[in-house]
Amino acid sequence: MDPCIYKDPYAPVEARVKDLLSRMTLNEKVAQMTQIERGVASPYYLRDLAVGSVLSVGGSAPFKNALSSDWADMVDGFQRLALDSRLGIPIIYGIDAVHGNSGVYGTTIFPHNVGLGSTRDADLIRRIGIATALEVRASGINYTFAPCVAGALAELCSHLRLKQDADDEHKCYTA
């Protein structure tokens, strides 16, 4: 059996990618580009089909009042299944944490992005991003839709009126 170059952390990235892709079936390639919702994740999808990503969408939690440690245990279990797949490719686990890591019991829930943007306080938004990142990472999750605040460039509805002078500077603060 030829060596698994893709598992060698010291091999050049290009060689690792080429080796891995040459070993993958078409079904494995499709599965790696697929993201499923946590509620349907199972050994069949993670180990047998080798799905590449799992996402928790609004309200999707391991169980009611799950703590960060409960989330981390769940993500670790999903990761073990993925690593037991034929090629042992880890999953990317994602969560919608736009308002903070609100699916985890006891974490901070932050206002909507337009509310944060209206504060015009870049430092506050940076601190919210840091808090969210720490809370997400503590739950074992490595991918998130984190707080993002963008200034409106046009009047979108009657209650949103932002000054649009040529000299205005529009910024997007992303955590």
Side-chain angles (χ1 to χ4, degrees):
M1 179 146 202
D2 54 286
C4 284
I5 296 169
Y6 79 94
K7 290 187 176 184
D8 179 359
Y10 301 106
V13 171
E14 296 81 11
R16 295 176 72 189
V17 169
K18 184 177 179 180
D19 179 58
L20 177 58
L21 288 174
S22 73
R23 295 169 186 274
M24 294 175 80
T25 66
L26 179 59
N27 285 345
E28 287 169 328
K29 290 173 183 175
V30 170
Q32 279 299 299
M33 294 187 293
T34 303
Q35 182 175 65
I36 61 173
E37 207 288 318
R38 182 212 57 83
V40 298
S42 69
Y44 172 73
Y45 288 113
L46 298 172
R47 183 188 57 228
D48 303 338
L49 292 183
V51 164
S53 181
V54 178
L55 175 69
S56 285
V57 295
S60 179
F63 52 84
K64 187 176 179 174
N65 296 336
L67 302 171
S68 288
S69 58
D70 300 316
W71 279 85
D73 290 344
M74 179 192 67
V75 173
D76 287 349
F78 289 159
Q79 215 48 276
R80 280 190 294 278
L81 288 168
L83 294 173
D84 283 344
S85 68
R86 186 177 79 83
L87 295 171
I89 302 170
I91 60 165
I92 297 173
Y93 196 99
I95 193 162
D96 179 348
V98 172
H99 302 287
N101 202 16
S102 60
V104 177
Y105 186 74
T107 57
T108 306
I109 299 173
F110 297 104
H112 192 277
N113 295 343
V114 73
L116 294 174
S118 68
T119 69
R120 302 277 195 235
D121 187 340
D123 186 58
L124 170 66
I125 295 164
R126 183 188 60 76
R127 291 191 328 261
I128 288 171
I130 291 169
T132 300
L134 291 171
E135 289 181 347
V136 168
R137 196 66 197 117
S139 60
I141 297 171
N142 53 18
Y143 169 66
T144 180
F145 302 101
C148 175
V149 178
L153 298 178
E155 186 176 319
L156 302 176
C157 58
S158 62
H159 67 275
L160 177 62
R161 296 188 186 277
L162 298 177
K163 187 175 176 187
Q164 287 191 300
D165 292 338
D167 296 328
D168 279 355
E169 185 176 325
H170 299 284
K171 294 182 180 180
C172 180
Y173 302 101
T174 305

